[in-house]
Amino acid sequence: MSTQDTAQAGAADASSLPVTLRLTAEEMEKAQILARQDHRTRAAFIRVMFLRGMAAYEKELQSATA
């Protein structure tokens, strides 16, 4: 994910929908710490992590079927 993609990933648009996510207290604290280091809200940081994970997963699927 490029820097521009990462920056845009933090900005929710009018068509975005909220999602409920269950994290342990330790995972939540880690997300909060890393979000602060990245100068993002916790929600924006978690969204970036989701997008990066999704991109990695899709790349993995392509490799498996190639």
Side-chain angles (χ1 to χ4, degrees), residues 1 3 6 9 14 25 27 32 41 49-50 53-55 57 59 65:
M1 184 174 269
T3 304
T6 303
E27 292 165 340
Q32 184 65 49
T41 63
M49 293 300 101
F50 168 80
M54 183 67 76
Y57 179 72
K59 188 175 181 179
T65 60

Side-chain angles (χ1 to χ4, degrees), residues 4-48:
Q4 183 179 13
D5 292 338
T6 303
Q8 290 174 351
D13 62 31
S15 64
S16 65
L17 300 171
V19 175
T20 301
L21 176 71
R22 186 174 302 274
L23 298 174
T24 65
E26 293 82 15
E27 292 165 340
M28 188 68 84
E29 181 64 22
K30 188 172 186 177
Q32 184 65 49
I33 290 167
L34 293 172
R36 281 189 200 126
Q37 291 173 358
D38 206 26
H39 307 288
R40 297 182 188 277
T41 63
R42 185 175 57 210
F45 177 79
I46 291 171
R47 183 166 187 266
V48 168

